[in-house]
């Protein structure tokens, strides 16, 4: 009897499915390719490569909490060409924003990817939109760079090893590490105190989870200053980015931190779990994510160096005890609580009980070669839906000698003026960094 292959949804995937009922939960990656666009060839390469990897039709069984690729109804993707404008980066941001807000139809079998092209002079940006529950950023970076490589090949196709599509659920593996769950449980009182001391994001329409998007480039000198400063201050670049974001958000929070017991601001940070879980990185397609939060007051006069050092103490302890591995357990608890709420109550749940002002997902493609062969792309942007938890997400991608930032935000929380202020503040603080101070 033929055994039908299928996978079990892990805790993060179940949560993303729950979020997707409230608003489209997608992500976008875009790579820049040089040369004139051959749309027919590009479309054929994409469809052929997805079929070869088994990433064609996806079906979700919510009752059994399983998923399966393939099985007939093999539709072909059409690559959309975005009307060219005078500013390709603005065109890329506008189309990526539209895609973040356009849901996939999950009612039957569907292809969890969409593709678009933004033309440039003798070059183009290839955008990949994906339903975030199917994969993390690492899987998509590998897929998109391999699609770009296949499109540029002229001497025939390389051999392809189909990826593992149904890996073991990592949240089940956590029970083999009870010390992680124990430390997470012991840390809950402190985490609860931190969240209760954190300023809540101002009330907004809970039914409006629409995303806006800005794309920003940190050039060679700015990136070098960022890296040198982090090293001189004995913190990570991620710690410094968290501090920069906290500082940039503080003026927007305004006088809300001035009185009462809520004086702090909290941020979230996404963690790639593949190394911790021993996943075969280049050959496993899926989603392996954890997260953690940091909380800190940002009083007038606190230096960026002091704030970075304080945040580094928090993140170092989290990393030392690998507390981010307990995210699956925490998400499962929140998901069970939400099952008792109405859709309207679910949209208010995180805003009331999990007051994060923003989050960071950070990726350095210069050191990202899990297969040992694929070089980093020449230019790469990422952006992710904010979802109901964080009203702002900074997607930082280091590639070549620059860092590309995707700043997605909930338009019902942050006005255009506020986002421009946050963006301007980030760039100004990077410009004014003094590594030796």
């Amino acid at each position: 009897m033929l055994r039908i292959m299928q996978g079990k949804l892990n805790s993060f995937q179940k949560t993303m499915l729950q979020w997707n009922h409230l608003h489209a939960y997608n992500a976008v990656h875009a790579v820049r390719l040089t040369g004139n666009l051959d749309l027919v060839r590009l479309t054929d390469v994409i469809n052929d490569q997805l079929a070869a990897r088994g990433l064609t039709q996806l079906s979700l069984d919510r009752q059994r909490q399983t998923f399966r690729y393939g099985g007939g109804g093999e539709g072909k993707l059409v690559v959309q060409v975005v009307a060219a404008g005078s500013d390709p980066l603005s065109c890329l941001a506008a189309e990526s924003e539209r895609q973040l807000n356009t849901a996939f139809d999950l009612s039957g079998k569907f292809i969890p990817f969409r593709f678009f092209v933004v033309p440039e002079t003798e070059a183009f940006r290839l955008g990949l939109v994906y339903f975030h529950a199917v994969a993390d950023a690492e899987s998509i970076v590998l897929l998109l760079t391999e699609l770009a490589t296949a499109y540029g090949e002229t001497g025939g196709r390389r051999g392809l090893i189909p990826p593992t599509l149904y890996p073991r659920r990592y949240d089940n593996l956590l029970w083999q590490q009870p010390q992680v769950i124990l430390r997470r449980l012991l840390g809950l009182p402190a985490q609860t105190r931190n969240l209760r001391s954190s300023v809540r994001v101002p009330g907004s329409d809970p039914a409006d989870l629409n995303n806006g998007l800005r794309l920003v480039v940190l050039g060679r000198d700015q990136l070098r200053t960022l890296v040198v400063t982090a090293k001189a201050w004995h913190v990570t670049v991620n710690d410094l980015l968290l501090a920069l974001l906290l500082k940039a958000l503080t003026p927007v929070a305004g006088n809300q931190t001035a009185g009462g017991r809520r004086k702090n601001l909290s941020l979230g940070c996404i963690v790639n779990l593949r190394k911790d879980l021993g996943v075969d990185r280049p050959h496993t397609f899926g989603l392996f994510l954890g997260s953690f939060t940091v909380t800190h007051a940002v009083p007038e006069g606190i230096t960026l160096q002091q704030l970075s050092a304080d945040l580094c103490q928090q993140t170092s302890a989290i990393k030392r005890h690998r507390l981010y591995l307990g995210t699956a357990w925490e998400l499962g608890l929140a998901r069970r609580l939400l099952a008792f709420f109405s859709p309207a109550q679910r949209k208010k749940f995180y805003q009331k009980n999990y007051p994060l002002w923003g989050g960071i997902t950070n990726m350095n493609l210069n050191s990202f070669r899990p297969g040992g062969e694929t070089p980093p792309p020449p230019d790469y942007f990422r952006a992710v839906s904010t979802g109901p938890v964080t009203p702002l997400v900074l997607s930082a991608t280091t590639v070549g000698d620059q860092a590309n930032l995707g700043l997605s935000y909930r338009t019902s929380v942050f006005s255009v003026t506020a986002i421009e202020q946050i963006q301007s503040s980030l760039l100004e603080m990077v410009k004014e960094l003094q590594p030796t101070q």
Side-chain angles (χ1 to χ4, degrees):
M1 182 177 179
L2 181 63
R3 180 171 178 263
I4 298 176
M5 293 293 293
Q6 63 180 10
K8 294 285 290 183
L9 295 169
N10 63 44
S11 188
F12 230 116
Q13 290 172 315
K14 295 174 188 175
T15 300
M16 287 183 176
L17 275 171
Q18 191 178 61
W19 292 347
N20 193 73
H21 286 304
L22 306 178
H23 185 270
Y25 198 70
N26 304 333
V28 179
H29 288 209
V31 64
R32 187 175 187 272
L33 303 178
T34 57
N36 294 320
L37 170 64
D38 183 340
L39 184 60
V40 173
R41 172 170 167 72
L42 178 63
T43 303
D44 288 343
V45 165
I46 288 173
N47 281 295
D48 289 349
Q49 290 288 320
L50 290 180
R53 287 169 170 77
L55 295 170
T56 50
Q57 297 290 322
L58 175 65
S59 56
L60 300 169
D61 188 328
R62 294 180 181 82
Q63 184 175 2
R64 297 181 179 179
Q65 298 184 333
T66 60
F67 67 96
R68 181 190 173 207
Y69 288 98
E74 309 295 336
K76 295 291 185 180
L77 286 171
V78 176
V79 180
Q80 176 192 356
V81 179
V82 178
S86 58
D87 184 355
L89 191 59
S90 295
C91 292
L92 175 63
E95 180 58 26
S96 297
E97 178 181 301
R98 190 184 74 82
Q99 295 286 352
L100 287 177
N101 291 300
T102 304
F104 286 88
D105 182 0
L106 313 185
S107 58
K109 291 181 179 179
F110 70 105
I111 302 176
F113 312 104
R114 296 192 292 259
F115 291 85
F116 65 89
V117 164
V118 178
E120 298 182 6
T121 303
E122 297 184 347
F124 62 91
R125 306 263 182 177
L126 173 61
L128 189 165
V129 190
Y130 63 104
F131 176 47
H132 203 341
V134 303
D136 52 30
E138 179 163 327
S139 286
I140 299 301
V141 168
L142 283 171
L143 175 61
L144 187 53
T145 53
E146 288 172 356
L147 290 177
T149 300
Y151 172 76
E153 288 178 342
T154 57
R157 300 178 182 175
R158 297 177 301 167
L160 173 66
I161 301 175
T164 299
L165 301 179
Y166 309 113
R168 290 188 298 170
R169 283 177 52 187
Y170 68 84
D171 41 357
N172 285 341
L173 296 178
L174 290 176
W175 295 111
Q176 299 175 16
Q177 304 178 54
Q179 69 277 11
V180 173
I181 302 297
L182 178 60
R183 289 189 183 117
R184 193 86 176 203
L185 281 169
L186 292 174
L188 275 180
Q191 179 176 309
T192 301
R193 287 194 299 271
N194 285 339
L195 292 176
R196 285 182 175 176
S197 71
S198 297
V199 178
R200 286 176 176 164
V201 177
S204 59
D205 182 359
D208 184 0
L209 298 180
N210 190 69
N211 288 271
L213 177 65
R214 296 293 185 93
L215 298 181
V216 184
V217 177
L218 297 182
R220 176 188 303 170
D221 293 341
Q222 292 171 305
L223 176 59
R224 182 180 179 278
T225 299
L226 200 67
V227 173
V228 170
T229 300
K231 185 176 182 180
W233 291 354
H234 305 289
V235 301
T236 68
V237 171
N238 195 68
D239 294 329
L240 183 50
L241 285 173
L242 285 167
L244 286 165
L245 186 55
L246 270 181
K247 276 272 200 178
L249 282 165
T250 300
V252 179
N255 295 326
Q256 298 178 78
T257 58
R261 61 186 175 86
R262 294 184 180 270
K263 299 177 180 292
N264 299 324
L265 294 180
S266 290
L267 296 178
C269 188
I270 292 296
V271 180
N272 185 343
L273 300 183
R274 290 171 181 254
K275 184 176 180 180
D276 292 273
L277 300 176
V279 175
D280 185 357
R281 301 181 71 178
H283 300 123
T284 303
F285 188 89
L287 187 139
F288 302 88
L289 296 178
S291 66
F292 62 83
T293 61
V294 293
T295 300
H296 203 286
V298 191
E300 185 177 353
I302 188 172
T303 66
L304 189 63
Q305 183 174 3
Q306 182 61 57
L307 184 56
S308 301
D310 291 348
L311 292 177
C312 183
Q313 287 187 341
Q314 294 185 39
T315 60
S316 295
I318 291 167
K319 294 173 187 175
R320 184 167 59 252
H321 298 299
R322 301 202 297 172
L323 298 181
Y324 46 80
L325 287 173
T327 303
W329 170 81
E330 191 172 334
L331 287 175
L333 179 61
R335 195 172 56 253
R336 288 175 176 84
L337 288 174
L338 284 173
F340 295 100
F341 296 167
S342 68
Q345 290 173 321
R346 291 174 188 174
K347 293 180 179 181
K348 297 178 182 179
F349 175 82
Y350 290 103
Q351 181 176 316
K352 182 179 180 180
N353 299 289
Y354 218 67
L356 300 183
W357 276 77
I360 284 184
T361 166
N362 189 14
M363 200 169 195
N364 183 358
L365 297 191
N366 295 334
S367 59
F368 177 74
R369 295 195 188 185
E373 299 178 359
T374 305
D379 198 6
Y380 203 99
F381 277 93
R382 296 183 301 126
V384 62
S385 298
T386 56
V389 181
T390 54
L392 180 147
V393 179
L394 179 64
S395 302
T397 309
T398 301
V399 56
D401 57 3
Q402 67 187 44
N404 295 333
L405 309 180
L407 193 64
S408 50
Y409 60 96
R410 201 177 305 156
T411 56
S412 62
V413 174
F414 296 102
S415 66
V416 172
T417 301
I419 286 300
E420 287 177 348
Q421 181 180 353
I422 293 169
Q423 177 180 325
S424 176
S425 179
L426 281 170
L427 294 176
E428 189 63 29
M429 284 189 289
V430 171
K431 182 179 178 180
E432 294 177 352
L433 282 175
Q434 299 294 328
T436 57
Q437 72 182 48

